[in-house]
Amino acid sequence: MKIGVLTSGGDAPGMNVAIRAVVRAGANNGHKVYGIYDGYRGLLESNFKLLNHHSVSGILTLGGTVLGTSRVPEFLDHEVRVQAAENLKKKGIEALVVIGGDGTYRGAMELTKLGIKCVGLPGTIDNDIAGTDFTIGFHTAVETIVDAVDKLRDTSTSHQRCSVLEVMGRKCGDLALYAGICGGAEFIWTPENPIDKDKMLKQLTKYKKEGRRHAIVVLTEKQVDPHALAEEISAKSGFSSRATVLGYIQRGGSPCPDDRILASRMGNYAIELLNQGIYGVAVGVRDNRMISMPFNNVVGQERPKNQLYSLVKKVS
Ligand code: F6P
């Protein structure tokens, strides 16, 4: 079988590990695996290249994605997808492994209806995909954020400050949740755990009076303006406060061991599924076991609230 592999949407550490696993497991099973460059744009431009064991040598440790990625709004258009499927068929590519997030899965679900055998791997730092406990890249991003929280605590203590740290995650608070717990944050403000600002300000005022030298607030993006929040904390709590927006640093870096293992397992599993004639599915890890679910059951679905919130103080 000729199989394409692409990465799409926001990049995530471990995408290269997944590409490597798909290429090598594919080749070991007698398939030809084609790298498709720059996500769905590569499908539209027929930007395909046959990959082999050697072409993916040395990429295991690299952050980003060697295939490149993109967000392609035109892909929402049916005619555009028909063209993409045609381009694959012309080349004799009948199956496609896509590595990305929810938007990527939506594209793959539609391509499946057009006769391309698609399998999806969850590649995003946000950990916001239903049907999997973890996404590829999440663990590495958590490490990056924890490192930032540790460093912020150093300087916050020296200056007796409250640091507000905004992290990524879109509608999912897992990055803030995990990093906040690991870094001992005083407040973790996420979509699943919204905080009553006035109550938080009262608690900060109390902490300051008790003689605490620092406080950390970890915040998921788009909940509240972090700079305005820091100004309000400075004005009302007795702590001086500064905001840090961590930004795209979270998406880079060499994948950590957990992400390498996860991406290797998922890449291999994608080929196993195609060998068994299973497609139109997204791969996940559940209780440390590989699973697959139809795209329909994953796309746009909410994840259950993370159990780790039981460790987090409610300030609502
Ligand atoms: O990859 C997911 C994500 O990092 C989100 O957390 C963030 O909101 C978004 O990507 C930013 O994406 P872009 O690269 O389009 O600015």
Side-chain angles (χ1 to χ4, degrees):
M1 192 161 36
K2 286 185 180 177
I3 302 171
V5 57
L6 63 79
T7 49
S8 159
D11 63 350
M15 280 184 160
N16 286 326
V17 184
I19 295 165
R20 175 179 178 270
V22 169
V23 170
R24 291 199 171 165
N28 290 342
N29 282 273
H31 305 300
K32 282 189 167 165
V33 183
Y34 288 80
I36 294 161
Y37 287 83
D38 300 324
Y40 287 126
R41 189 165 307 290
L43 284 188
L44 301 179
E45 295 169 357
S46 297
N47 193 358
F48 313 145
K49 188 177 152 203
L50 183 60
L51 301 175
N52 59 30
H53 200 277
H54 291 298
S55 11
V56 291
S57 169
I59 69 170
L60 182 84
T61 58
L62 303 179
T65 158
V66 293
L67 292 178
T69 184
S70 60
R71 300 192 196 271
V72 186
E74 312 92 273
F75 217 72
L76 293 172
D77 184 337
H78 177 72
E79 293 311 313
V80 171
R81 294 194 300 265
V82 169
Q83 187 55 56
E86 283 311 310
N87 291 347
L88 283 169
K89 287 175 191 167
K90 253 189 245 155
K91 186 83 186 169
I93 300 175
E94 56 184 291
L96 185 62
V97 179
V98 302
I99 308 164
D102 197 71
T104 307
Y105 281 5
R106 280 174 203 271
M109 187 162 73
E110 296 303 322
L111 284 173
T112 306
K113 291 179 195 156
L114 294 169
I116 306 296
K117 298 170 180 167
C118 294
V119 174
L121 306 187
T124 164
I125 64 165
D126 294 340
N127 212 34
D128 61 347
I129 307 284
T132 185
D133 291 343
F134 295 108
T135 55
I136 296 166
F138 172 69
H139 287 107
T140 308
V142 169
E143 279 195 13
T144 302
I145 302 169
V146 171
D147 180 56
V149 174
D150 291 350
K151 286 173 174 157
L152 280 174
R153 191 168 306 273
D154 292 343
T155 177
S156 302
T157 311
S158 308
H159 291 264
Q160 301 195 46
R161 273 185 182 147
C162 169
S163 279
V164 175
L165 175 65
E166 183 192 278
V167 302
M168 285 184 168
R170 248 186 244 273
K171 291 182 187 152
C172 176
D174 281 9
L175 285 170
L177 174 66
Y178 277 68
I181 292 172
C182 294
E186 276 67 18
F187 299 95
I188 300 175
W189 188 333
T190 69
E192 302 89 340
N193 188 54
I195 282 195
D196 179 319
K197 196 174 57 186
D198 292 330
K199 286 189 185 161
M200 183 177 89
L201 287 168
K202 263 193 205 143
Q203 287 198 17
L204 281 169
T205 310
K206 182 167 157 274
Y207 292 162
K208 182 69 185 165
K209 283 194 183 130
E210 286 168 0
R212 292 206 199 183
R213 291 188 63 88
H214 56 73
I216 306 270
V217 182
V218 183
L219 178 68
T220 304
E221 60 184 349
K222 298 186 181 80
Q223 299 306 296
V224 62
D225 179 336
H227 298 286
L229 181 63
E231 271 177 33
E232 206 169 339
I233 292 171
S234 292
K236 298 185 180 164
S237 75
F239 274 107
S240 97
S241 180
R242 295 286 190 275
T244 303
V245 177
L246 201 52
Y248 292 89
I249 283 172
Q250 293 162 94
R251 290 225 301 239
S254 179
C256 68
D258 278 339
D259 276 329
R260 295 185 195 191
I261 297 283
L262 184 64
S264 299
R265 288 177 76 187
M266 287 183 163
N268 275 279
Y269 192 61
I271 297 297
E272 231 174 277
L273 289 170
L274 288 171
N275 285 343
Q276 290 168 28
I278 299 170
Y279 53 86
V281 295
V283 167
V285 62
R286 177 76 57 75
D287 298 328
N288 204 24
R289 288 177 51 199
M290 288 292 111
I291 57 156
S292 67
M293 284 168 76
F295 283 126
N296 248 337
N297 298 358
V298 173
V299 167
Q301 300 300 311
E302 293 225 342
R303 290 163 57 90
K305 188 169 175 180
N306 199 304
Q307 292 182 1
L308 288 181
Y309 281 107
S310 62
L311 304 180
V312 176
K313 178 172 57 212
K314 266 205 163 34
V315 191
S316 52

